[in-house]
Amino acid sequence: MDVADWAGLLWAGLGLDWAALGGHVDAMRVLLNHSCADPAVMMMLKSNRGSTAFMYGAQDGHVNAMRVLLDHPLADPAAMMRHARRDGWNALMVAAQNGHVDAMRLLLDHPFANPATMTAARSTAGTSALVKAARFAAGQPTKPARVVTRSCAPLLLLLRRVAEASQPSDAYNAHMSQVVEALRQGPRFHEMFLFDQPDDARDECVRLLLAGGVTDLRGRVVVRIVH
């Protein structure tokens, strides 16, 4: 492959990234099916930070864009799912950070997924997808910043999966404590526990955190939910 071929592939790869980020599945198919395209290479081209088109789709919750990539005959779904950026973030983390539950379910339930590995993974800063979901629920800024409706649903999804895959241990309890700390640091922490606003997902999250060994949630919250 000469320089011109590599330059064309690079620009096509960048186009695929942008199309996935915007959820433009028709544009993605055009790029992947072009006679001069090398889909296997394009789908795994990385940005300066190490993101792939698949991660860009997960970042904005474009499940159809993610499926276009996963279902391509030349795709390596397992490689797409286990890939991490230079800062250690994987696709599950970027989806959780922005509260995209459907994208998270796809990542956890796909036949080529390894949910235990994805939920156990940590960024270079030491945070997991579960902690990022807690930050989303508590109102910490999304990346990129946007106005979104906050929900405990992403956090509940991951709490359930982590609880199913984990055995009681000091490490598991420490992970749950990280989640509580992430909740406390968010601007919505107090608002989340106003009980004139029913929230079944929030209540189930608290039950799972208590089952995970957390003992330092606000007392009145614990009593109101448990009893």
Side-chain angles (χ1 to χ4, degrees):
M1 184 178 290
D2 62 24
V3 173
D5 290 332
W6 274 112
L9 185 59
L10 175 60
W11 283 110
L14 291 174
L16 187 64
D17 288 352
W18 282 105
L21 183 62
H24 303 303
V25 294
D26 289 340
M28 293 173 65
R29 291 191 180 103
V30 168
L31 289 165
L32 290 168
N33 296 330
H34 193 277
S35 59
C36 295
D38 187 338
V41 176
M42 286 168 56
M43 287 186 284
M44 294 306 294
L45 280 177
K46 303 171 184 64
S47 69
N48 289 338
R49 297 180 67 187
S51 291
T52 61
F54 184 71
M55 293 188 73
Y56 282 120
Q59 175 180 306
D60 267 22
H62 296 304
V63 174
N64 287 340
M66 296 167 69
R67 289 192 185 280
V68 165
L69 297 167
L70 289 170
D71 295 343
H72 193 281
L74 297 179
D76 183 345
M80 287 184 188
M81 295 204 175
R82 68 172 175 261
H83 174 73
R85 299 187 322 204
R86 290 188 176 89
D87 57 7
W89 287 52
N90 60 25
L92 184 62
M93 292 178 190
V94 296
Q97 175 82 7
N98 293 317
H100 298 307
V101 178
D102 289 340
M104 293 166 65
R105 287 197 182 99
L106 173 60
L107 289 161
L108 292 166
D109 295 335
H110 192 274
F112 284 91
N114 187 332
T117 298
M118 285 192 292
T119 55
R122 298 292 193 276
S123 70
T124 54
T127 56
S128 65
L130 182 55
V131 170
K132 295 180 191 304
R135 290 175 175 172
F136 174 82
Q140 294 192 38
T142 59
K143 295 181 180 180
R146 70 197 74 192
V147 177
V148 295
T149 300
R150 300 291 175 162
S151 166
C152 288
L155 176 60
L156 177 57
L157 173 64
L158 288 179
L159 279 172
R160 284 173 171 166
R161 297 303 178 93
V162 170
E164 291 168 1
S166 304
Q167 297 294 326
S169 66
D170 290 344
Y172 177 66
N173 292 349
H175 197 185
M176 295 302 103
S177 295
Q178 277 189 308
V179 172
V180 172
E181 187 60 28
L183 290 171
R184 284 178 165 172
Q185 291 174 359
R188 285 190 65 247
F189 176 68
H190 296 286
E191 176 189 335
M192 287 172 66
F193 298 110
L194 294 175
F195 288 95
D196 56 344
Q197 301 175 7
D199 188 336
D200 292 341
R202 172 206 59 202
D203 294 354
E204 183 63 18
C205 285
V206 172
R207 290 189 185 97
L208 288 168
L209 287 168
L210 291 171
V214 171
T215 58
D216 55 354
L217 280 167
R218 293 162 60 196
R220 66 181 184 84
V221 174
V222 174
V223 170
R224 181 65 178 273
I225 291 174
V226 172
H227 296 290

